[in-house]
Amino acid sequence: MKNLLGGKGANLAQMAKLGLPVPPGFTISTEICTYFYRHNQSYPPGFEKEIKKYLALVEKEKGQKFGDLKNPLLFSVRSGARVSMPGMMDTVLNLGLNDQITKTLAQKNPRFAWNCYWRFIFMFADVVMGAPKEELDEVLIALKKEKNLKQDIELSAADWQVVAERLKTKVRHLTGKEIPQNPWDQLWQAIGAVFKSWNTPRAITYRKLNKIPDDWGTAVNVQSMVFGNLNEKSASGVGFTRNPSTGKKELYGEFLPNAQGEDVVAGLRTPKPISELKKIFPSCYRELLKISKILEQYFKDMQDIEFTIENGKLWMLQTRTGKRTAQAAVKMALDMVKEGLISKKEALLRIDPKTIETFFKPSFEEKAKKEVLAKGLPASPGAAVGEVVFDPGEAEKLVDQGHQVILVRMETSPDDIHGMAAAEGILTARGGMTSHAALVSRAMGKPCVVGAESIYVDYQKQQMMVNEKIIKKGDFISLNGTAGEVYLGKLKTQPPQISKDLNQILKWADQKRKLKVLANADTPLQARQARDFGAQGIGLCRTEHMFFAEERLPIFQKMILAKDQKERALALKKILPLQKSDFIEIFKAMEGWPVIIRLLDPPLHEFLPKTEKEIKELSAKIKVPFLKLKTKVESLAELNPMLGHRGLRLAITFPEIYEMQTQAIIEAALDCKKRKIKVIPEIMIPLTLDVEEFKIVAQKVREKAEQILKNKKLKIDYKIGTMIELPRACLLADQIAREAEFFSFGTNDLTQTTLGISRDDAGRFLPQYLEKKIFKEDPFSSLDRSGVGELIEIGVKRGKKSRKDLEIGICGEHGGDPSSIDFCHRAGLDYVSCSPFRVPVARLSAAQANLTSPLRKN
Ligand code: PEP
Ligand code: MG
């Protein structure tokens, strides 16, 4: 019932049902929140009466009374949306205290009573009355200074009374209002404040980052308090039923003796590891282990729990599915299948394919010389290098300007998420594995080190002190989130490898998918990488990328500048052996798998310099007169470069280029055949818009291939197909398929031509389109289903009509995007092709697509 009760409320109810120790309480549903916003921030009729009814039930169950002097019932009022938004919305604890009740409570346990009252005033003033937190913080800081105390725990009962009373006065000064003394007023206002916290700027940012709809609303959990700060036999803690960083099966987390829950996550005191609970509260520890098991058995997943020990008794305050690193997600899914907790199918569906990319984050070279600057906790794995920045807003700004930054804070708070999202990595001086910084970084898949206690950040001076060293804003550091270490300077990183666990998951995925996964690879190195990652061939080898190497480009430029066919032929002759040797290496790397090679596509001016300075440099380098070069550059200039003289249009005017490329492919294939390397070359012609055009170019290609084979008296199987990149080609797919032996949707171009948005210029205005929700997602990264998608469906249907066994794939960027892959599966494509690092992502996505919508047999 998460939609109605929010995640927290639904799971509290579930824990109570399972017979676990949960403090009594009730949940106000998300429906009330949506009503609240639709009706000018008011409640449905009878709402107040309903609340009072449930309040009375809790009073009965607890044997206490709300507002009573002798035996007062206190509440926590907490938000809870459908999905957890850690720290984004507001909470008020210890609600129900006032001057009189506190004084009465203080007769028995003064330190506890005044400490709770101070907390209540603080939270109520912050959340409900909108007083600035930093101002509220000042009161405690000032008293600690006066008394020369470091930790909150050192404050006496009398100190807390002073702090509470001073804080009350300060609230009056800050807001011009009194903290309400009537508990019912407190409750009523707190409920409204929690609803309002759904629309704070930070909550809105979080929703945007995590694609959470604005109209879901939050529930409000009104729950009786249990006190981790009651005495030395009390504590508050948070934990995970398995290690969220590594996935290891162990109760993992931390706690603080004599503290309330907020203290643990706020990162103000560094808490103790949960293993120490075993020593201090052995029976609670045992019970917690038992409860963890029950929760995992019920929820069939790793849980993130909050608990409180009140005077030696354990209480469960929350459970939810825990956030985890991609590494942990994979390990847990594997282990849970082995434990019989979940099926293979569930394991495959549980891993977010996008997070798999984080497996391929680089790590620091083992042998790199490291100067360890500081050590902390390994909160989120990976390696990050960047300039030190202390301010989240500045981090965002610098990243916009092209810098790489590491955000360093004493601790992070929900207000910092924009800076965290921009940074390469996050480093905090305080906090534990469940601190805000740790949770958010893990969710974002960013390297993070927390609790590096030797660091002190001086925000005013914009520098940090680490022991004797001073690190200034802009200095470079390297962050190792796997080891929890911080190094001085820029360390070298090394490319990643596939882990054993991930391999196992991917093998299962391979058994469940229908779509083949090929790779876009242009060099032998990429081809080998793609094979390592499980690619079943190359779906797109962009031959132009072979010309970009520094020593090759000048030869290609000479070819472009040739004054006649003879000169061009001469230049092409020089390129031929280079292309051929590349193809041989690629075929070798892809032995036995198809290799789809696309003939030259981009317009020729892409290979020439643009500015006068560049033209001068080139003219000296390749020894072509400046003026000649400049004239050529000008004659090739295009207004919209990606819609001009490119693709097979080049071959209509300069057939020699494709002939040379065909020769290189066929000769390379023959060479491999001689060496008994099995090759399956497929020659792909880009940007076809008409069957006649394709016919002319394909015929030339075929003639060239046949001529070589005839001369050598040898045979080889090869195919000639086309990319489908223009709406017209989709519509005329039946005609084109009569000539082309295969199709590959080039959705980068198909998107730009369908939307009429140039792929090179989109960046200037697309962000606005996303912000204004004209597009839900960037159509160049996630397929525009309604427009481009429909054209693809038409292309598939019409293409297959003329050629039943037409092989159809996709090789645009979308081939590595999980939701586009799902579409390709449903549209009946044979394969997706994507960059080597996304091959594993695609393998899993293809399996998920098939598991959630198996194809109809036809
Ligand atoms: C495409 O257009 O989708 C494609 C793969 O080709 P390119 O990106 O090289 O234009
Ligand atoms: Mg293209």
Side-chain angles (χ1 to χ4, degrees):
M1 296 178 79
K2 278 189 185 151
N3 294 0
L4 191 65
L5 299 178
K8 194 178 288 167
N11 286 354
L12 278 171
Q14 194 56 53
M15 282 203 289
K17 260 184 157 174
L18 288 168
L20 304 181
V22 176
F26 56 91
T27 299
I28 303 168
S29 78
T30 54
E31 280 176 344
I32 305 288
C33 187
T34 33
Y35 182 101
F36 181 78
Y37 279 110
R38 283 202 194 121
H39 295 81
N40 201 16
Q41 307 208 348
S42 67
Y43 300 105
F47 176 63
E48 195 175 325
K49 220 169 109 196
E50 197 79 354
I51 300 279
K52 285 189 169 146
K53 188 172 103 195
Y54 287 101
L55 207 152
L57 282 176
V58 178
E59 285 178 330
K60 202 167 144 209
E61 191 154 340
K62 289 278 281 196
Q64 293 176 316
K65 271 214 144 7
F66 191 48
D68 193 54
L69 267 186
K70 286 207 192 75
N71 194 10
L73 176 60
L74 302 189
F75 281 113
S76 72
V77 179
R78 307 165 84 192
S79 58
R82 273 189 216 189
V83 292
S84 90
M85 296 169 56
M88 286 303 131
M89 287 177 303
D90 289 326
T91 291
V92 182
L93 302 182
N94 308 309
L95 187 137
L97 283 177
N98 57 21
D99 293 351
Q100 257 195 323
I101 295 175
T102 308
K103 272 181 204 145
T104 320
L105 268 184
Q107 288 164 6
K108 270 191 274 168
N109 189 346
R111 191 178 185 283
F112 162 72
W114 289 109
N115 177 259
C116 284
Y117 197 33
W118 166 75
R119 287 172 193 271
F120 166 68
I121 298 169
F122 192 112
M123 289 190 188
F124 196 88
D126 167 30
V127 172
V128 184
M129 299 164 81
K133 230 178 180 156
E134 310 74 58
E135 293 278 350
L136 300 174
D137 265 329
E138 281 300 319
V139 177
L140 178 60
I141 294 171
L143 185 111
K144 281 205 254 179
K145 232 183 221 160
E146 277 167 36
K147 298 244 159 174
N148 205 10
L149 302 174
K150 281 212 171 62
Q151 299 245 10
D152 294 6
I153 202 104
E154 297 165 27
L155 267 69
S156 67
D159 294 334
W160 282 117
Q161 181 170 1
V162 172
V163 180
E165 276 164 0
R166 282 191 195 167
L167 186 62
K168 234 180 81 188
T169 316
K170 181 144 192 186
V171 172
R172 186 184 313 127
H173 287 315
L174 287 170
T175 65
K177 287 188 209 136
E178 293 291 337
I179 297 276
Q181 292 293 305
N182 178 337
W184 171 256
D185 292 343
Q186 294 174 0
L187 181 61
W188 190 250
Q189 289 177 32
I191 291 170
V194 170
F195 282 146
K196 282 181 201 148
S197 72
W198 176 253
N199 268 349
T200 57
R202 66 178 195 222
I204 293 170
T205 310
Y206 186 90
R207 289 204 291 274
K208 210 185 279 166
L209 279 174
N210 293 280
K211 301 203 171 80
I212 299 169
D214 291 331
D215 59 4
W216 279 3
T218 180
V220 183
N221 298 290
V222 181
Q223 194 173 19
S224 53
M225 286 290 300
V226 285
F227 299 96
N229 61 337
L230 186 66
N231 52 31
E232 282 308 316
K233 277 166 48 196
S234 306
S236 269
V238 292
F240 296 91
T241 54
R242 298 182 193 220
N243 187 316
S245 242
T246 63
K248 192 169 163 207
K249 194 174 177 190
E250 61 182 355
L251 185 59
Y252 190 86
E254 46 219 6
F255 72 101
L256 274 173
N258 204 345
Q260 276 197 358
E262 302 296 305
D263 306 347
V264 186
V265 278
L268 299 176
R269 270 159 74 189
T270 297
K272 295 177 191 294
I274 222 161
S275 50
E276 277 187 41
L277 196 68
K278 208 191 293 186
K279 286 183 237 151
I280 311 178
F281 300 98
S283 71
C284 290
Y285 181 77
R286 279 194 304 273
E287 195 180 352
L288 202 55
L289 278 181
K290 226 162 67 196
I291 290 174
S292 296
K293 202 162 167 195
I294 294 171
L295 289 175
E296 279 205 352
Q297 289 289 338
Y298 180 81
F299 288 104
K300 312 253 180 249
D301 205 348
M302 182 267 266
Q303 295 296 296
D304 166 352
I305 54 179
E306 284 181 17
F307 61 90
T308 279
I309 297 170
E310 184 188 62
N311 207 13
K313 169 157 176 50
L314 178 72
W315 291 96
M316 297 303 294
L317 299 190
Q318 177 166 315
T319 189
R320 62 186 172 195
T321 299
K323 293 215 179 355
R324 62 204 73 185
T325 62
Q327 282 80 354
V330 165
K331 178 163 171 48
M332 285 178 202
L334 268 183
D335 287 350
M336 287 182 190
V337 172
K338 282 186 211 145
E339 291 162 28
L341 209 56
I342 57 173
S343 66
K344 279 187 192 171
K345 177 179 168 179
E346 279 168 302
L348 287 172
L349 289 175
R350 184 166 284 185
I351 300 164
D352 176 358
K354 278 198 172 139
T355 65
I356 284 190
E357 281 184 67
T358 63
F359 273 83
F360 304 105
K361 289 250 172 78
S363 55
F364 290 121
E365 278 181 2
E366 286 288 341
K367 44 184 201 310
K369 248 187 88 192
K370 303 176 181 108
E371 187 184 336
V372 178
L373 185 66
K375 284 190 179 180
L377 300 170
S380 178
V385 179
E387 293 168 43
V388 169
V389 178
F390 303 105
D391 178 73
E394 194 163 359
E396 205 180 20
K397 212 171 77 200
L398 283 170
V399 170
D400 275 346
Q401 292 166 7
H403 293 245
Q404 290 197 334
V405 306
I406 308 259
L407 181 65
V408 184
R409 306 278 293 165
M410 285 307 283
E411 70 261 336
T412 63
S413 79
D415 292 326
D416 300 342
I417 43 169
H418 57 299
M420 299 173 79
E424 293 289 309
I426 291 122
L427 169 62
T428 68
R430 297 198 197 113
M433 291 294 277
T434 45
S435 61
H436 177 264
L439 284 181
V440 175
S441 311
R442 279 202 288 275
M444 289 181 173
K446 288 194 189 238
C448 174
V449 175
V450 298
E453 304 217 8
S454 59
I455 292 177
Y456 176 79
V457 181
D458 187 335
Y459 291 113
Q460 214 132 53
K461 289 200 182 126
Q462 289 286 294
Q463 63 184 31
M464 63 174 173
M465 265 89 76
V466 193
N467 303 323
E468 301 297 281
K469 274 203 180 68
I470 290 183
I471 311 288
K472 292 210 161 64
K473 185 179 86 177
D475 288 350
F476 272 90
I477 58 168
S478 302
L479 201 68
N480 184 341
T482 317
E485 290 180 341
V486 188
Y487 317 112
L488 207 57
K490 291 189 218 180
L491 283 196
K492 270 217 172 104
T493 53
Q494 62 185 7
Q497 282 150 353
I498 248 180
S499 76
K500 232 170 82 193
D501 287 347
L502 179 58
N503 244 339
Q504 180 63 59
I505 289 283
L506 292 174
K507 271 191 196 142
W508 289 347
D510 293 344
Q511 294 161 4
K512 299 284 179 203
R513 65 186 160 92
K514 288 265 170 28
L515 275 173
K516 280 187 264 179
V517 177
L518 281 68
N520 294 356
D522 321 308
T523 63
L525 179 74
Q526 285 176 9
R528 282 191 289 274
Q529 219 161 32
R531 273 302 300 141
D532 285 348
F533 292 154
Q536 296 161 286
I538 291 182
L540 174 65
C541 172
R542 293 176 163 108
T543 49
E544 63 269 18
H545 288 187
M546 296 174 164
F547 302 127
F548 283 146
E550 208 177 330
E551 66 283 5
R552 294 183 182 184
L553 189 56
I555 313 176
F556 198 73
Q557 288 165 330
K558 281 239 162 150
M559 188 279 292
I560 297 175
L561 293 161
K563 68 172 182 300
D564 55 22
Q565 209 169 340
K566 213 168 119 205
E567 249 187 62
R568 190 155 45 243
L570 217 67
L572 284 170
K573 220 172 177 172
K574 282 197 187 151
I575 302 169
L576 177 70
L578 300 173
Q579 286 240 293
K580 187 171 148 185
S581 66
D582 270 1
F583 290 142
I584 291 175
E585 290 306 311
I586 289 176
F587 287 150
K588 276 203 310 213
M590 279 289 153
E591 182 168 5
W593 298 99
V595 177
I596 303 181
I597 299 168
R598 181 180 72 188
L599 303 181
L600 187 69
D601 181 16
L604 298 180
H605 66 79
E606 295 248 313
F607 299 91
L608 293 179
K610 305 260 171 320
T611 64
E612 191 125 336
K613 186 168 163 262
E614 286 168 347
I615 297 173
K616 257 189 201 139
E617 278 169 14
L618 182 66
S619 111
K621 194 168 157 197
I622 63 170
K623 302 195 175 49
V624 170
F626 171 75
L627 226 60
K628 180 179 174 190
L629 189 57
K630 191 162 175 253
T631 318
K632 190 73 187 182
V633 169
E634 279 166 5
S635 77
L636 288 172
E638 291 183 353
L639 286 181
N640 192 335
M642 289 320 262
L643 287 178
H645 194 187
R646 58 168 288 209
L648 79 174
R649 298 164 200 171
L650 285 170
I652 295 282
T653 40
F654 307 119
E656 304 88 339
I657 303 178
Y658 280 13
E659 281 171 24
M660 178 279 290
Q661 294 197 298
T662 306
Q663 186 179 349
I665 295 168
I666 298 296
E667 286 184 2
L670 285 175
D671 192 287
C672 288
K673 193 172 175 179
K674 227 189 292 167
R675 292 193 251 166
K676 303 234 155 18
I677 299 165
K678 194 172 171 227
V679 289
I680 310 173
E682 301 186 21
I683 300 172
M684 181 156 75
I685 293 170
L687 217 72
T688 299
L689 63 83
D690 190 275
V691 67
E692 288 307 320
E693 171 199 37
F694 178 81
K695 241 159 96 181
I696 293 170
V697 176
Q699 195 176 344
K700 283 254 183 222
V701 168
R702 194 176 307 277
E703 272 168 15
K704 186 73 193 177
E706 291 304 319
Q707 183 200 343
I708 297 166
L709 293 173
K710 205 171 137 201
N711 283 350
K712 306 222 162 163
K713 297 200 176 58
L714 287 169
K715 267 196 152 176
I716 207 157
D717 286 331
Y718 65 94
K719 281 188 193 168
I720 303 174
T722 183
M723 293 188 75
I724 301 289
E725 301 179 275
L726 301 169
R728 191 173 195 272
C730 296
L731 299 174
L732 303 183
D734 46 348
Q735 297 177 21
I736 296 172
R738 282 194 203 108
E739 296 297 324
E741 292 173 284
F742 62 88
F743 277 3
S744 178
F745 284 98
T747 44
N748 300 336
D749 277 314
L750 188 57
T751 300
Q752 84 162 349
T753 50
T754 302
L755 276 65
I757 295 178
S758 140
R759 53 199 269 196
D760 297 318
D761 303 316
R764 293 188 206 157
F765 54 87
L766 212 54
Q768 292 259 354
Y769 272 66
L770 294 170
E771 211 158 279
K772 299 206 158 57
K773 302 202 172 82
I774 301 169
F775 293 143
K776 277 213 188 78
E777 275 180 285
D778 177 349
F780 288 98
S781 35
S782 197
L783 203 81
D784 157 47
R785 293 191 181 202
S786 39
V788 179
E790 176 143 11
L791 282 167
I792 291 178
E793 279 167 351
I794 291 172
V796 171
K797 210 167 109 205
R798 297 190 184 169
K800 290 219 166 167
K801 208 168 84 191
S802 342
R803 193 187 283 265
K804 255 219 164 85
D805 60 348
L806 182 74
E807 187 197 45
I808 306 181
I810 177 177
C811 64
E813 273 310 294
H814 308 89
D817 168 63
S819 100
S820 312
I821 292 171
D822 186 75
F823 169 84
C824 293
H825 169 80
R826 288 162 203 255
L829 266 57
D830 298 297
Y831 70 85
V832 296
S833 185
C834 56
S835 65
F837 282 120
R838 289 169 92 188
V839 165
V841 177
R843 286 163 71 190
L844 179 59
S845 302
Q848 290 186 347
N850 192 37
L851 286 169
T852 47
S853 63
L855 288 180
R856 276 171 276 120
K857 286 207 178 80
N858 47 7

